[in-house]
Amino acid sequence: MTALEKATGDVVFKFEPFVFHVLCQELQDAQLLHSVAVNSGFRNSGITVGRGGKITMAVRSTHCLEVPLSHKGRLMVSEEYIEFLVHIANQKMEENI
């Protein structure tokens, strides 16, 4: 809270979701892993084929959180709400684990 009160610009509370990159030898391997990931709840997963044919499967969680806290140095939320956000982010981290 002390650092937040001293901020002069915009401050955003952000929690990034779990991401796991897997390099696959064959496209079929990536497709199988993608199917398993999506069916397990990792709906933001995807397959990328790079230059040179490198196949990467990304398993991505949907557990993200991004909330503005201050604007131009003015705190827009209460300390109680920030504590609530920290609690939610910690729950999301547990779900990621």
Side-chain angles (χ1 to χ4, degrees):
M1 285 305 298
T2 302
L4 189 56
E5 290 166 359
K6 293 178 183 177
T8 58
D10 294 353
V11 176
V12 175
F13 184 94
K14 189 170 186 177
F15 176 84
E16 295 284 341
F18 166 82
V19 179
F20 179 60
H21 290 100
V22 180
L23 189 59
C24 299
Q25 289 184 337
E26 302 290 332
L27 184 57
Q28 303 88 287
D29 299 332
Q31 289 171 327
L32 177 60
L33 181 55
H34 181 263
S35 177
V36 169
V38 170
N39 289 331
S40 297
F42 297 97
R43 296 184 306 267
N44 288 347
S45 299
I47 299 170
T48 304
V49 180
R51 293 182 184 172
K54 185 168 110 175
I55 303 165
T56 304
M57 167 54 206
V59 179
R60 291 187 188 98
S61 168
T62 58
H63 298 103
C64 60
L65 179 66
E66 187 170 351
V67 181
L69 300 179
S70 71
H71 179 64
K72 296 181 181 178
R74 181 172 173 246
L75 188 60
M76 305 301 289
V77 298
S78 68
E79 184 173 350
E80 180 182 11
Y81 185 69
I82 293 170
E83 290 171 4
F84 172 72
L85 291 175
V86 169
H87 177 73
I88 297 297
N90 286 337
Q91 284 180 327
K92 290 178 181 289
M93 180 62 81
E94 287 298 318
E95 291 175 27
N96 276 341
I97 291 170

Coordinates of all heavy atoms in Angstrom, one line a residue:
M1 N 0.8 -1.2 0.0 CA 0.0 0.0 0.0 C 0.9 1.3 0.0 O 0.5 2.2 -0.7 CB -0.9 0.0 1.2 CG -2.1 -1.0 1.1 SD -3.1 -0.8 -0.4 CE -3.8 0.9 -0.2
T2 N 2.0 1.2 0.7 CA 2.9 2.4 0.8 C 3.4 2.7 -0.6 O 3.4 3.9 -1.1 CB 4.1 2.1 1.7 OG1 3.5 1.8 3.0 CG2 5.0 3.3 1.8
A3 N 3.9 1.7 -1.4 CA 4.3 2.0 -2.7 C 3.2 2.4 -3.6 O 3.4 3.3 -4.5 CB 5.0 0.7 -3.3
L4 N 2.1 1.9 -3.5 CA 0.9 2.3 -4.3 C 0.5 3.7 -4.0 O 0.2 4.5 -5.0 CB -0.3 1.3 -4.0 CG -1.5 1.4 -4.9 CD1 -1.1 1.2 -6.4 CD2 -2.5 0.4 -4.5
E5 N 0.6 4.1 -2.8 CA 0.2 5.5 -2.5 C 1.2 6.5 -3.0 O 0.9 7.7 -3.3 CB 0.1 5.7 -0.9 CG -1.1 5.0 -0.4 CD -1.1 4.8 1.1 OE1 -0.1 5.3 1.8 OE2 -2.1 4.3 1.7
K6 N 2.5 6.1 -3.3 CA 3.5 6.9 -3.8 C 3.5 7.0 -5.3 O 4.2 7.8 -5.9 CB 4.9 6.5 -3.3 CG 5.1 6.7 -1.8 CD 6.5 6.1 -1.4 CE 6.7 6.2 0.1 NZ 8.0 5.7 0.5
A7 N 2.8 6.1 -5.9 CA 2.8 6.0 -7.4 C 2.2 7.3 -8.0 O 1.2 7.9 -7.5 CB 1.9 4.8 -7.9
T8 N 2.8 7.7 -9.1 CA 2.4 9.0 -9.8 C 1.7 8.7 -11.1 O 1.0 9.6 -11.7 CB 3.6 9.9 -10.0 OG1 4.5 9.2 -10.8 CG2 4.2 10.4 -8.7
G9 N 1.8 7.5 -11.6 CA 1.2 7.1 -12.9 C 0.0 6.1 -12.7 O -0.6 6.1 -11.6
D10 N -0.2 5.3 -13.7 CA -1.2 4.3 -13.6 C -0.6 3.0 -13.0 O 0.5 2.6 -13.4 CB -1.8 4.0 -15.0 CG -2.5 5.1 -15.6 OD1 -2.7 6.1 -14.9 OD2 -2.9 5.1 -16.7
V11 N -1.3 2.3 -12.2 CA -0.9 1.0 -11.6 C -1.9 0.0 -11.9 O -3.1 0.2 -11.7 CB -0.7 1.2 -10.1 CG1 -0.3 -0.2 -9.5 CG2 0.4 2.2 -9.7
V12 N -1.5 -1.2 -12.3 CA -2.4 -2.3 -12.6 C -1.9 -3.5 -11.9 O -0.7 -3.8 -11.8 CB -2.3 -2.6 -14.2 CG1 -3.2 -3.8 -14.5 CG2 -2.8 -1.4 -15.0
F13 N -2.9 -4.2 -11.2 CA -2.6 -5.5 -10.6 C -2.8 -6.5 -11.6 O -3.9 -6.6 -12.2 CB -3.6 -5.7 -9.4 CG -3.4 -6.9 -8.6 CD1 -2.6 -6.9 -7.5 CD2 -3.9 -8.1 -9.0 CE1 -2.4 -8.0 -6.7 CE2 -3.7 -9.3 -8.3 CZ -2.9 -9.2 -7.1
K14 N -1.8 -7.4 -11.8 CA -1.9 -8.3 -12.9 C -1.4 -9.7 -12.5 O -0.4 -9.8 -11.8 CB -1.0 -7.8 -14.1 CG -1.2 -8.6 -15.4 CD -0.5 -7.9 -16.5 CE -0.8 -8.6 -17.8 NZ -0.2 -8.0 -19.0
F15 N -2.2 -10.7 -12.8 CA -1.8 -12.1 -12.6 C -1.8 -12.8 -13.9 O -2.8 -12.8 -14.6 CB -2.8 -12.8 -11.6 CG -2.5 -14.2 -11.4 CD1 -1.6 -14.6 -10.5 CD2 -3.1 -15.2 -12.2 CE1 -1.3 -16.0 -10.3 CE2 -2.8 -16.5 -12.0 CZ -1.9 -16.9 -11.1
E16 N -0.7 -13.4 -14.3 CA -0.5 -14.1 -15.5 C -0.8 -15.5 -15.4 O -0.4 -16.2 -14.4 CB 0.9 -13.9 -16.1 CG 1.3 -12.5 -16.4 CD 0.7 -12.0 -17.7 OE1 0.3 -12.9 -18.5 OE2 0.6 -10.8 -17.9
P17 N -1.5 -16.1 -16.3 CA -1.9 -17.6 -16.2 C -0.7 -18.5 -16.5 O 0.4 -18.0 -17.1 CB -2.9 -17.7 -17.3 CG -2.6 -16.7 -18.3 CD -2.1 -15.5 -17.5
F18 N -0.8 -19.7 -16.1 CA 0.1 -20.8 -16.3 C 0.3 -20.9 -17.9 O -0.6 -20.9 -18.6 CB -0.4 -22.1 -15.7 CG 0.3 -23.3 -16.2 CD1 1.4 -23.7 -15.5 CD2 -0.2 -24.1 -17.2 CE1 2.1 -24.9 -15.9 CE2 0.4 -25.3 -17.6 CZ 1.5 -25.7 -16.9
V19 N 1.6 -21.1 -18.3 CA 1.9 -21.4 -19.7 C 3.0 -22.5 -19.7 O 4.0 -22.3 -19.0 CB 2.4 -20.2 -20.5 CG1 2.8 -20.6 -21.9 CG2 1.4 -19.1 -20.4
F20 N 2.8 -23.5 -20.4 CA 3.8 -24.6 -20.5 C 4.1 -24.9 -22.0 O 3.1 -25.3 -22.7 CB 3.3 -25.8 -19.8 CG 4.2 -27.0 -19.8 CD1 5.4 -27.0 -19.3 CD2 3.7 -28.2 -20.4 CE1 6.2 -28.1 -19.3 CE2 4.5 -29.4 -20.4 CZ 5.8 -29.3 -19.8
H21 N 5.3 -24.6 -22.5 CA 5.6 -24.8 -23.9 C 6.3 -26.2 -24.0 O 7.2 -26.5 -23.3 CB 6.6 -23.7 -24.4 CG 5.9 -22.4 -24.5 ND1 6.1 -21.4 -23.5 CD2 5.1 -21.9 -25.4 CE1 5.4 -20.4 -23.9 NE2 4.8 -20.6 -25.0
V22 N 5.8 -26.9 -25.1 CA 6.4 -28.2 -25.4 C 6.8 -28.3 -26.8 O 6.0 -28.0 -27.7 CB 5.3 -29.4 -25.1 CG1 5.9 -30.7 -25.4 CG2 4.8 -29.3 -23.7
L23 N 8.0 -28.6 -27.1 CA 8.5 -28.8 -28.5 C 8.2 -30.2 -28.9 O 8.6 -31.1 -28.2 CB 10.0 -28.5 -28.5 CG 10.7 -28.4 -29.9 CD1 10.1 -27.3 -30.7 CD2 12.2 -28.2 -29.7
C24 N 7.5 -30.3 -30.0 CA 7.0 -31.6 -30.5 C 7.7 -32.0 -31.8 O 8.0 -31.2 -32.6 CB 5.5 -31.6 -30.7 SG 4.5 -31.2 -29.3
Q25 N 8.0 -33.3 -31.9 CA 8.7 -33.8 -33.1 C 7.7 -33.9 -34.3 O 8.1 -33.6 -35.4 CB 9.3 -35.2 -32.9 CG 10.5 -35.2 -31.9 CD 11.1 -36.5 -31.8 OE1 10.4 -37.6 -32.0 NE2 12.4 -36.6 -31.5
E26 N 6.5 -34.2 -34.1 CA 5.5 -34.4 -35.1 C 4.3 -33.6 -34.8 O 3.9 -33.4 -33.7 CB 5.1 -35.9 -35.3 CG 6.3 -36.8 -35.5 CD 6.9 -36.7 -36.9 OE1 6.1 -36.2 -37.8 OE2 8.1 -36.9 -37.1
L27 N 3.6 -33.2 -35.9 CA 2.3 -32.4 -35.7 C 1.3 -33.2 -35.0 O 0.5 -32.7 -34.2 CB 1.8 -31.9 -37.1 CG 0.6 -31.1 -37.1 CD1 0.8 -29.8 -36.2 CD2 0.2 -30.7 -38.5
Q28 N 1.2 -34.5 -35.3 CA 0.3 -35.4 -34.6 C 0.5 -35.4 -33.1 O -0.5 -35.5 -32.4 CB 0.4 -36.9 -35.2 CG 0.2 -37.0 -36.6 CD 1.5 -36.9 -37.4 OE1 2.1 -35.8 -37.5 NE2 2.0 -38.0 -37.9
D29 N 1.7 -35.4 -32.7 CA 2.0 -35.3 -31.2 C 1.5 -34.1 -30.6 O 0.8 -34.1 -29.6 CB 3.5 -35.4 -31.0 CG 4.2 -36.7 -31.5 OD1 3.5 -37.7 -31.6 OD2 5.4 -36.6 -31.8
A30 N 1.7 -32.9 -31.3 CA 1.2 -31.6 -30.8 C -0.4 -31.6 -30.8 O -1.0 -31.1 -29.9 CB 1.7 -30.5 -31.7
Q31 N -1.0 -32.2 -31.8 CA -2.4 -32.3 -31.9 C -3.0 -33.1 -30.7 O -4.0 -32.8 -30.1 CB -2.9 -32.8 -33.2 CG -2.7 -31.9 -34.4 CD -2.9 -32.5 -35.7 OE1 -2.7 -33.7 -36.0 NE2 -3.4 -31.7 -36.7
L32 N -2.4 -34.2 -30.4 CA -2.8 -35.1 -29.3 C -2.7 -34.3 -28.0 O -3.6 -34.3 -27.2 CB -2.0 -36.4 -29.3 CG -2.3 -37.3 -28.1 CD1 -3.8 -37.8 -28.2 CD2 -1.4 -38.5 -28.2
L33 N -1.5 -33.7 -27.8 CA -1.3 -32.9 -26.6 C -2.3 -31.8 -26.5 O -2.9 -31.5 -25.4 CB 0.1 -32.4 -26.5 CG 0.5 -31.6 -25.3 CD1 0.2 -32.4 -24.0 CD2 1.9 -31.2 -25.3
H34 N -2.6 -31.1 -27.6 CA -3.6 -30.0 -27.6 C -5.0 -30.5 -27.2 O -5.6 -29.9 -26.4 CB -3.6 -29.4 -29.0 CG -4.6 -28.3 -29.1 ND1 -5.9 -28.4 -29.6 CD2 -4.5 -27.0 -28.7 CE1 -6.5 -27.3 -29.5 NE2 -5.7 -26.4 -29.0
S35 N -5.4 -31.7 -27.7 CA -6.6 -32.3 -27.4 C -6.7 -32.6 -25.9 O -7.7 -32.3 -25.2 CB -6.9 -33.5 -28.2 OG -8.1 -34.2 -27.9
V36 N -5.7 -33.2 -25.4 CA -5.7 -33.5 -23.9 C -5.7 -32.2 -23.1 O -6.5 -32.1 -22.1 CB -4.4 -34.3 -23.6 CG1 -4.2 -34.4 -22.1 CG2 -4.5 -35.7 -24.2
A37 N -5.0 -31.2 -23.5 CA -4.9 -29.9 -22.7 C -6.3 -29.2 -22.7 O -6.8 -28.8 -21.7 CB -3.9 -29.0 -23.3
V38 N -6.9 -29.1 -23.9 CA -8.2 -28.5 -24.0 C -9.3 -29.3 -23.2 O -10.1 -28.7 -22.5 CB -8.7 -28.3 -25.5 CG1 -10.1 -27.9 -25.6 CG2 -7.8 -27.3 -26.2
N39 N -9.3 -30.6 -23.3 CA -10.2 -31.4 -22.6 C -10.0 -31.4 -21.1 O -10.9 -31.8 -20.3 CB -10.2 -32.8 -23.1 CG -10.8 -33.0 -24.5 OD1 -11.7 -32.2 -24.8 ND2 -10.3 -33.9 -25.3
S40 N -8.8 -31.0 -20.7 CA -8.5 -30.8 -19.2 C -8.7 -29.5 -18.7 O -8.5 -29.2 -17.5 CB -7.0 -31.2 -19.0 OG -6.7 -32.5 -19.4
G41 N -9.3 -28.6 -19.5 CA -9.7 -27.2 -19.1 C -8.7 -26.1 -19.5 O -9.0 -25.0 -19.2
F42 N -7.6 -26.4 -20.2 CA -6.7 -25.4 -20.6 C -7.1 -24.9 -22.0 O -6.5 -25.2 -23.0 CB -5.3 -26.0 -20.7 CG -4.8 -26.4 -19.3 CD1 -4.8 -27.7 -18.9 CD2 -4.3 -25.4 -18.4 CE1 -4.4 -28.1 -17.6 CE2 -3.8 -25.8 -17.2 CZ -3.9 -27.1 -16.8
R43 N -8.2 -24.1 -22.0 CA -8.9 -23.7 -23.3 C -8.1 -22.7 -24.1 O -8.4 -22.6 -25.3 CB -10.2 -23.1 -22.9 CG -11.2 -24.1 -22.3 CD -12.6 -23.6 -22.1 NE -12.6 -22.3 -21.3 CZ -12.7 -22.2 -20.0 NH1 -12.9 -23.3 -19.3 NH2 -12.7 -21.1 -19.4
N44 N -7.1 -22.1 -23.6 CA -6.3 -21.1 -24.4 C -5.0 -21.8 -25.0 O -4.1 -21.1 -25.4 CB -5.9 -19.9 -23.5 CG -7.1 -19.0 -23.2 OD1 -8.1 -19.2 -23.8 ND2 -6.9 -18.1 -22.2
S45 N -5.0 -23.1 -25.0 CA -3.8 -23.8 -25.5 C -3.8 -23.7 -27.1 O -4.8 -23.4 -27.7 CB -3.9 -25.2 -25.1 OG -3.8 -25.4 -23.7
G46 N -2.6 -23.9 -27.6 CA -2.5 -23.8 -29.1 C -1.2 -24.4 -29.6 O -0.3 -24.6 -28.9
I47 N -1.2 -24.5 -30.9 CA -0.1 -25.1 -31.6 C 0.5 -24.0 -32.6 O -0.2 -23.3 -33.3 CB -0.5 -26.3 -32.5 CG1 -1.1 -27.4 -31.6 CG2 0.7 -26.8 -33.3 CD1 -1.7 -28.5 -32.3
T48 N 1.8 -23.9 -32.6 CA 2.5 -23.0 -33.5 C 3.5 -23.7 -34.3 O 4.3 -24.5 -33.7 CB 3.2 -21.9 -32.7 OG1 2.3 -21.2 -31.8 CG2 3.9 -20.9 -33.6
V49 N 3.5 -23.5 -35.6 CA 4.6 -24.1 -36.4 C 5.4 -22.9 -36.9 O 5.0 -22.1 -37.7 CB 4.0 -24.9 -37.6 CG1 5.1 -25.4 -38.5 CG2 3.0 -26.0 -37.1
G50 N 6.7 -22.9 -36.5 CA 7.6 -21.8 -36.8 C 8.3 -22.1 -38.1 O 8.2 -23.1 -38.8
R51 N 9.1 -21.1 -38.5 CA 10.0 -21.2 -39.6 C 10.9 -22.4 -39.4 O 11.4 -22.6 -38.3 CB 10.8 -19.9 -39.9 CG 9.9 -18.8 -40.2 CD 10.7 -17.5 -40.5 NE 9.8 -16.4 -40.7 CZ 10.1 -15.2 -40.9 NH1 11.4 -14.9 -40.8 NH2 9.2 -14.3 -41.1
G52 N 11.1 -23.1 -40.4 CA 12.0 -24.3 -40.3 C 11.2 -25.5 -39.8 O 11.8 -26.6 -39.6
G53 N 9.9 -25.4 -39.6 CA 9.1 -26.5 -39.2 C 9.1 -26.9 -37.7 O 8.6 -27.9 -37.3
K54 N 9.6 -26.0 -36.9 CA 9.6 -26.2 -35.4 C 8.2 -26.2 -34.9 O 7.5 -25.2 -35.1 CB 10.5 -25.2 -34.7 CG 10.7 -25.4 -33.2 CD 11.8 -24.5 -32.7 CE 11.1 -23.5 -31.8 NZ 12.1 -22.7 -31.1
I55 N 7.7 -27.3 -34.3 CA 6.3 -27.4 -33.8 C 6.3 -27.2 -32.3 O 6.9 -28.0 -31.5 CB 5.7 -28.8 -34.2 CG1 5.8 -29.0 -35.7 CG2 4.3 -28.9 -33.7 CD1 5.6 -30.4 -36.1
T56 N 5.6 -26.2 -31.8 CA 5.5 -25.9 -30.4 C 4.1 -25.9 -30.0 O 3.2 -25.3 -30.6 CB 6.1 -24.5 -30.1 OG1 7.4 -24.4 -30.5 CG2 6.1 -24.2 -28.6
M57 N 3.8 -26.7 -28.9 CA 2.5 -26.8 -28.3 C 2.5 -26.0 -27.0 O 3.4 -26.2 -26.2 CB 2.1 -28.2 -28.1 CG 0.9 -28.5 -27.2 SD -0.5 -27.7 -27.7 CE -1.4 -27.7 -26.2
A58 N 1.6 -25.0 -26.9 CA 1.6 -24.2 -25.6 C 0.3 -24.6 -24.9 O -0.8 -24.5 -25.4 CB 1.5 -22.7 -26.0
V59 N 0.5 -25.1 -23.6 CA -0.6 -25.4 -22.7 C -0.8 -24.1 -21.9 O 0.1 -23.7 -21.2 CB -0.3 -26.6 -21.8 CG1 -1.4 -26.9 -20.9 CG2 0.1 -27.8 -22.7
R60 N -2.0 -23.5 -22.0 CA -2.2 -22.2 -21.3 C -3.5 -22.3 -20.5 O -4.5 -22.7 -20.9 CB -2.4 -21.1 -22.4 CG -1.2 -20.7 -23.1 CD -1.4 -19.5 -23.9 NE -0.3 -19.2 -24.8 CZ -0.2 -19.6 -26.1 NH1 -1.2 -20.2 -26.7 NH2 0.8 -19.3 -26.8
S61 N -3.4 -21.8 -19.3 CA -4.5 -21.7 -18.4 C -5.3 -20.4 -18.7 O -4.8 -19.5 -19.3 CB -4.0 -21.6 -16.9 OG -5.0 -21.2 -16.0
T62 N -6.5 -20.4 -18.2 CA -7.4 -19.2 -18.4 C -7.4 -18.4 -17.2 O -8.2 -17.5 -17.1 CB -8.8 -19.6 -18.8 OG1 -9.3 -20.5 -17.8 CG2 -8.8 -20.3 -20.2
H63 N -6.6 -18.7 -16.2 CA -6.6 -18.0 -14.9 C -5.9 -16.7 -14.9 O -4.9 -16.5 -14.2 CB -6.1 -18.9 -13.8 CG -6.8 -20.2 -13.6 ND1 -6.3 -21.4 -14.1 CD2 -8.0 -20.5 -13.1 CE1 -7.2 -22.4 -13.8 NE2 -8.2 -21.8 -13.2
C64 N -6.4 -15.7 -15.6 CA -5.7 -14.4 -15.6 C -6.5 -13.4 -14.9 O -7.7 -13.6 -14.6 CB -5.5 -14.0 -17.0 SG -6.9 -13.8 -18.0
L65 N -5.9 -12.3 -14.5 CA -6.5 -11.3 -13.7 C -5.7 -10.0 -14.0 O -4.5 -10.0 -13.9 CB -6.5 -11.6 -12.2 CG -7.1 -10.6 -11.3 CD1 -8.6 -10.5 -11.5 CD2 -6.8 -11.1 -9.8
E66 N -6.4 -9.0 -14.4 CA -5.8 -7.7 -14.7 C -6.8 -6.6 -14.3 O -7.9 -6.5 -14.8 CB -5.4 -7.5 -16.2 CG -4.6 -6.3 -16.4 CD -4.1 -6.3 -17.8 OE1 -4.1 -7.3 -18.6 OE2 -3.5 -5.2 -18.2
V67 N -6.4 -5.8 -13.3 CA -7.3 -4.8 -12.7 C -6.5 -3.5 -12.5 O -5.5 -3.5 -11.8 CB -7.9 -5.3 -11.3 CG1 -8.8 -4.3 -10.7 CG2 -8.5 -6.6 -11.5
P68 N -7.0 -2.4 -13.0 CA -6.4 -1.1 -12.7 C -6.6 -0.7 -11.2 O -7.7 -0.9 -10.7 CB -7.1 -0.1 -13.6 CG -8.2 -0.9 -14.4 CD -8.2 -2.3 -13.9
L69 N -5.6 -0.2 -10.6 CA -5.7 0.2 -9.2 C -5.6 1.7 -9.0 O -6.3 2.3 -8.2 CB -4.6 -0.4 -8.4 CG -4.5 -1.9 -8.3 CD1 -3.3 -2.4 -7.5 CD2 -5.8 -2.5 -7.8
S70 N -4.8 2.4 -9.9 CA -4.7 3.8 -9.8 C -4.6 4.4 -11.2 O -4.2 3.7 -12.1 CB -3.5 4.3 -8.9 OG -2.3 4.0 -9.6
H71 N -5.0 5.7 -11.3 CA -4.9 6.4 -12.6 C -4.3 7.8 -12.3 O -4.8 8.5 -11.5 CB -6.3 6.5 -13.2 CG -6.3 7.3 -14.5 ND1 -5.7 6.8 -15.6 CD2 -6.9 8.4 -14.8 CE1 -5.9 7.6 -16.6 NE2 -6.6 8.6 -16.1
K72 N -3.2 8.1 -13.0 CA -2.5 9.3 -12.8 C -2.2 9.6 -11.3 O -2.4 10.8 -10.9 CB -3.3 10.5 -13.4 CG -3.4 10.3 -14.9 CD -4.2 11.5 -15.5 CE -4.4 11.3 -17.0 NZ -5.1 12.4 -17.7
G73 N -1.8 8.6 -10.6 CA -1.4 8.7 -9.2 C -2.6 8.7 -8.2 O -2.4 8.7 -7.0
R74 N -3.8 8.7 -8.7 CA -5.0 8.6 -7.8 C -5.5 7.2 -7.6 O -5.8 6.5 -8.6 CB -6.1 9.5 -8.4 CG -7.3 9.5 -7.6 CD -8.4 10.5 -8.1 NE -9.6 10.4 -7.3 CZ -10.7 10.0 -7.8 NH1 -10.9 9.6 -9.0 NH2 -11.8 9.9 -7.0
L75 N -5.5 6.8 -6.4 CA -5.9 5.4 -6.0 C -7.4 5.3 -6.3 O -8.2 6.1 -5.9 CB -5.6 5.1 -4.6 CG -5.9 3.7 -4.1 CD1 -5.0 2.7 -4.9 CD2 -5.6 3.6 -2.6
M76 N -7.8 4.3 -7.1 CA -9.2 4.2 -7.5 C -10.0 3.1 -6.8 O -11.2 3.0 -7.0 CB -9.2 3.8 -9.0 CG -8.5 4.8 -9.9 SD -9.1 6.5 -9.8 CE -10.7 6.3 -10.7
V77 N -9.3 2.3 -5.9 CA -9.9 1.3 -5.2 C -9.5 1.3 -3.7 O -8.5 2.0 -3.3 CB -9.6 -0.1 -5.7 CG1 -10.1 -0.3 -7.2 CG2 -8.1 -0.4 -5.7
S78 N -10.2 0.6 -2.8 CA -9.9 0.6 -1.4 C -8.8 -0.5 -1.1 O -8.6 -1.4 -1.9 CB -11.2 0.3 -0.6 OG -11.6 -1.1 -0.9
E79 N -8.2 -0.3 0.1 CA -7.3 -1.3 0.5 C -7.9 -2.7 0.7 O -7.4 -3.7 0.4 CB -6.6 -0.8 1.9 CG -5.6 -1.8 2.3 CD -4.8 -1.2 3.6 OE1 -5.0 0.0 3.9 OE2 -4.1 -2.0 4.2
E80 N -9.2 -2.6 1.1 CA -9.9 -3.9 1.3 C -10.1 -4.6 0.0 O -9.9 -5.8 -0.1 CB -11.3 -3.6 1.9 CG -12.2 -4.8 2.1 CD -13.6 -4.5 2.6 OE1 -13.9 -3.3 2.7 OE2 -14.2 -5.5 3.0
Y81 N -10.3 -3.9 -1.1 CA -10.5 -4.5 -2.4 C -9.1 -5.0 -2.9 O -9.1 -6.1 -3.5 CB -11.0 -3.4 -3.4 CG -11.3 -4.0 -4.8 CD1 -12.3 -4.9 -5.0 CD2 -10.5 -3.7 -5.9 CE1 -12.6 -5.5 -6.2 CE2 -10.7 -4.3 -7.1 CZ -11.8 -5.2 -7.3 OH -12.0 -5.7 -8.5
I82 N -8.0 -4.3 -2.6 CA -6.7 -4.8 -3.0 C -6.4 -6.1 -2.3 O -5.9 -7.1 -2.9 CB -5.6 -3.8 -2.7 CG1 -5.8 -2.6 -3.7 CG2 -4.2 -4.4 -2.9 CD1 -5.0 -1.4 -3.4
E83 N -6.8 -6.2 -1.0 CA -6.6 -7.5 -0.3 C -7.4 -8.6 -0.9 O -7.0 -9.7 -0.9 CB -7.0 -7.3 1.2 CG -6.0 -6.4 2.0 CD -6.5 -6.0 3.4 OE1 -7.5 -6.5 3.8 OE2 -5.7 -5.2 4.0
F84 N -8.6 -8.3 -1.3 CA -9.5 -9.2 -2.0 C -8.8 -9.7 -3.3 O -8.8 -10.9 -3.6 CB -10.9 -8.6 -2.3 CG -11.7 -9.4 -3.2 CD1 -12.4 -10.6 -2.7 CD2 -12.0 -9.0 -4.5 CE1 -13.2 -11.3 -3.5 CE2 -12.8 -9.8 -5.3 CZ -13.4 -10.9 -4.8
L85 N -8.2 -8.8 -4.1 CA -7.6 -9.2 -5.3 C -6.4 -10.1 -5.1 O -6.2 -11.1 -5.8 CB -7.1 -7.9 -6.1 CG -8.1 -7.0 -6.7 CD1 -7.5 -5.8 -7.3 CD2 -8.9 -7.8 -7.7
V86 N -5.6 -9.8 -4.0 CA -4.5 -10.6 -3.7 C -5.0 -12.0 -3.3 O -4.4 -13.0 -3.7 CB -3.7 -10.0 -2.5 CG1 -2.6 -11.0 -2.0 CG2 -3.0 -8.7 -3.0
H87 N -6.1 -12.1 -2.6 CA -6.6 -13.4 -2.2 C -7.0 -14.2 -3.5 O -6.7 -15.4 -3.6 CB -7.8 -13.2 -1.3 CG -8.5 -14.5 -0.9 ND1 -8.0 -15.4 0.0 CD2 -9.7 -15.0 -1.3 CE1 -8.8 -16.4 0.1 NE2 -9.9 -16.2 -0.7
I88 N -7.7 -13.5 -4.4 CA -8.1 -14.2 -5.6 C -6.9 -14.6 -6.4 O -6.9 -15.8 -7.0 CB -9.0 -13.2 -6.5 CG1 -10.3 -12.9 -5.7 CG2 -9.3 -13.8 -7.9 CD1 -11.2 -14.1 -5.5
A89 N -5.9 -13.8 -6.5 CA -4.7 -14.1 -7.3 C -4.0 -15.3 -6.7 O -3.5 -16.2 -7.4 CB -3.8 -13.0 -7.4
N90 N -4.0 -15.4 -5.3 CA -3.4 -16.5 -4.6 C -4.1 -17.8 -4.9 O -3.5 -18.9 -5.1 CB -3.2 -16.3 -3.1 CG -2.1 -15.3 -2.8 OD1 -1.2 -15.1 -3.6 ND2 -2.2 -14.6 -1.7
Q91 N -5.5 -17.7 -5.0 CA -6.3 -18.9 -5.3 C -6.0 -19.3 -6.7 O -5.9 -20.6 -7.0 CB -7.8 -18.5 -5.2 CG -8.3 -18.5 -3.8 CD -9.8 -18.1 -3.8 OE1 -10.3 -17.4 -4.6 NE2 -10.5 -18.7 -2.8
K92 N -5.8 -18.4 -7.7 CA -5.5 -18.7 -9.0 C -4.1 -19.4 -9.1 O -3.9 -20.3 -9.9 CB -5.6 -17.5 -9.9 CG -7.0 -17.0 -10.1 CD -7.0 -15.7 -11.0 CE -8.4 -15.2 -11.2 NZ -9.2 -16.1 -12.1
M93 N -3.2 -18.9 -8.3 CA -1.9 -19.6 -8.3 C -2.0 -21.0 -7.8 O -1.3 -21.9 -8.4 CB -0.9 -18.8 -7.4 CG 0.5 -19.3 -7.3 SD 1.3 -19.4 -8.9 CE 1.9 -17.7 -9.0
E94 N -2.8 -21.2 -6.8 CA -3.0 -22.6 -6.3 C -3.6 -23.5 -7.4 O -3.2 -24.6 -7.6 CB -3.9 -22.6 -5.1 CG -3.2 -22.1 -3.8 CD -2.0 -23.0 -3.4 OE1 -2.1 -24.2 -3.5 OE2 -1.0 -22.4 -3.0
E95 N -4.5 -22.9 -8.2 CA -5.1 -23.7 -9.3 C -4.1 -24.0 -10.3 O -4.1 -25.0 -11.0 CB -6.3 -22.9 -9.9 CG -7.5 -22.8 -8.9 CD -8.6 -22.0 -9.4 OE1 -8.8 -21.8 -10.7 OE2 -9.4 -21.4 -8.6
N96 N -3.2 -23.0 -10.6 CA -2.1 -23.3 -11.6 C -1.2 -24.4 -11.1 O -0.8 -25.2 -12.0 CB -1.3 -22.0 -11.7 CG -1.8 -21.0 -12.7 OD1 -2.7 -21.3 -13.6 ND2 -1.4 -19.8 -12.6
I97 N -0.9 -24.4 -9.8 CA 0.0 -25.5 -9.3 C -0.7 -26.8 -9.5 O -0.1 -27.8 -9.9 CB 0.3 -25.2 -7.9 CG1 1.2 -23.9 -7.8 CG2 1.0 -26.4 -7.2 CD1 1.5 -23.4 -6.4

